[in-house]
Amino acid sequence: DVVMTQSPLSLPVTLGQPASISCRSSQSLVYSNGNTYLNWFHQRPGQSPRRLIYVISTRDSGVPDRFSGSGSGTDFTLRISRVEAEDVGVYYCMQGTHWPWTFGQGTKVEIK
Amino acid sequence: QVQLQESGPGLVKPSETLSLTCTVSGGSVSGYYWSWIRQSPGKGLDWIGYIHYTGSTNYNPSLNSRVTISIDTSKNQFSLKVRSVTAADTAVYYCGRGERLGIDPWGQGTLVTVSS
């Protein structure tokens, strides 16, 4: 299985400051059709995960533009330009290129 | 908007079969892929498998021999069965719409505990 490695695992942030989460895959995530199926999810405490971004950088409807995704091949990044209180929780990257699709172990974002 | 709701027993005995149903409201199961994912404290998020509305399936090889996913388009539901469960199958089970692009939306999740 493709291993997804996130860092850091814990990220204390100050409100209004930027935050960045790294996700690395054990294999290239470029699919045979040229797409790279790297997606990001956010899970608030006690809630189901919610998809934020798919195919590296496409934001889901309703996702604030302070969230952005970037990267290629095996290295990817989720950035929050200015952290707000509602952004706390755990962020997961997920690859949909190689079956079985796999998730990273999660990065817990909390407010300092 | 599409909403999903998992239902089924919250407690299953070891060696028995875990059975869950996901009911889709606000939209049709037709035209989409539907997935089951589970989340356990020790192993994080695991993709169990998915089914196309036509009935074609794909299962995680780690569970392949024990899992069956089925769909009932007339009831707008799809289901999960995991046979011969052990304590390692204790998890929150989520259903959701989607496949390689990820899940959107997710059900609220249901905790299934395997214990005698």
Side-chain angles (χ1 to χ4, degrees):
Chain A
D1 297 0
V2 174
V3 177
M4 305 297 289
T5 303
Q6 292 182 226
S7 63
L9 298 184
S10 178
L11 183 57
V13 296
T14 301
L15 289 174
Q17 293 300 302
S20 179
I21 299 170
S22 171
C23 175
R24 290 184 173 172
S25 58
S26 59
Q27 298 178 37
S28 171
L29 298 186
V30 179
Y31 191 58
S32 54
N33 63 7
N35 288 336
T36 299
Y37 293 101
L38 186 285
N39 313 310
W40 289 95
F41 296 83
H42 176 215
Q43 185 174 31
R44 294 190 177 101
Q47 295 186 13
S48 307
R50 171 199 179 194
R51 192 180 65 186
L52 296 176
I53 287 172
Y54 55 98
V55 290
I56 302 179
S57 59
T58 303
R59 276 191 307 275
D60 269 281
S61 175
V63 174
D65 61 7
R66 64 178 182 274
F67 289 92
S68 64
S70 64
S72 63
T74 61
D75 287 347
F76 305 92
T77 302
L78 175 70
R79 290 185 175 86
I80 310 173
S81 59
R82 296 173 306 279
V83 172
E84 298 190 5
E86 65 181 14
D87 300 337
V88 299
V90 182
Y91 290 81
Y92 297 95
C93 59
M94 169 242 154
Q95 66 83 19
T97 297
H98 305 283
W99 181 252
W101 304 321
T102 49
F103 291 86
Q105 67 271 59
T107 294
K108 186 175 183 178
V109 171
E110 58 184 10
I111 305 300
K112 285 182 184 176
Chain B
Q1 97 210 36
V2 174
Q3 294 184 313
L4 295 89
Q5 178 69 58
E6 304 89 350
S7 59
L11 181 64
V12 182
K13 290 182 168 56
S15 79
E16 295 191 344
T17 297
L18 178 161
S19 296
L20 295 174
T21 296
C22 182
T23 300
V24 179
S25 59
S28 173
V29 296
S30 296
Y32 294 96
Y33 287 89
W34 303 90
S35 290
W36 286 98
I37 292 171
R38 68 184 184 181
Q39 185 172 31
S40 54
K43 289 195 64 181
L45 287 159
D46 289 324
W47 211 296
I48 299 170
Y50 64 88
I51 188 166
H52 191 238
Y53 75 102
T54 56
S56 64
T57 55
N58 202 1
Y59 303 132
N60 191 320
S62 68
L63 292 161
N64 192 25
S65 61
R66 298 194 295 127
V67 170
T68 301
I69 298 175
S70 58
I71 194 163
D72 187 335
T73 54
S74 67
K75 293 183 178 179
N76 232 29
Q77 295 176 333
F78 60 104
S79 299
L80 170 71
K81 291 187 186 299
V82 182
R83 295 175 290 278
S84 304
V85 296
T86 69
D89 294 307
T90 294
V92 175
Y93 285 76
Y94 294 100
C95 62
R97 183 179 68 184
E99 21 69 43
R100 65 176 74 253
L101 288 174
I103 297 294
D104 180 59
W106 296 62
Q108 67 180 33
T110 187
L111 174 63
V112 179
T113 301
V114 178
S115 174
S116 55

